[in-house]
Amino acid sequence: MKNTGYDGYLGPRLSREAQLRRIRHVMDAELTEAQRQALEGYYLQKKNIPQLARERGVNKSTICRTLQRAERRLRRFLRY
């Protein structure tokens, strides 16, 4: 048996389109505007943290914290 690195139940697999719809729904419904913009800028628009900080006029650490909180919240809501 091949070791996959995860021994728990993975549940039914969703299609990529269904996963993306679910992520978009959680982003729209559960994240703040700042969190949503940070995630979109960093992951979808491929901007780096200093660029995002300059655009928003905040410190780099603020962007890092915002991203961390958004990712944590996104994971929590996607778990179910």
Side-chain angles (χ1 to χ4, degrees), residues 11-25:
R13 297 279 186 190
L14 295 175
S15 68
R16 180 166 175 76
E17 294 78 25
Q19 290 176 6
L20 291 174
R21 276 194 312 272
R22 193 165 172 232
I23 290 170
R24 176 50 68 182
H25 173 73

Side-chain angles (χ1 to χ4, degrees), residues 30-31 35 69-77:
E30 302 298 336
L31 298 182
Q35 291 172 339
R69 289 176 183 151
E71 291 165 349
R72 192 171 37 239
R73 193 171 176 106
L74 194 60
R75 272 190 228 101
R76 185 173 60 228
F77 281 97

Side-chain angles (χ1 to χ4, degrees), residues 33 48 61 79:
E33 186 62 29
N48 60 30
S61 64
R79 196 177 313 161

Side-chain angles (χ1 to χ4, degrees), residues 56-70:
R56 302 194 59 172
V58 297
N59 199 315
K60 293 182 290 188
S61 64
T62 302
I63 296 295
C64 286
R65 279 194 314 275
T66 303
L67 280 170
Q68 288 172 347
R69 289 176 183 151

Side-chain angles (χ1 to χ4, degrees), residues 46-59:
K46 304 293 186 196
K47 295 179 181 177
N48 60 30
I49 290 173
Q51 286 176 316
L52 293 170
R54 274 193 306 275
E55 288 175 3
R56 302 194 59 172
V58 297
N59 199 315

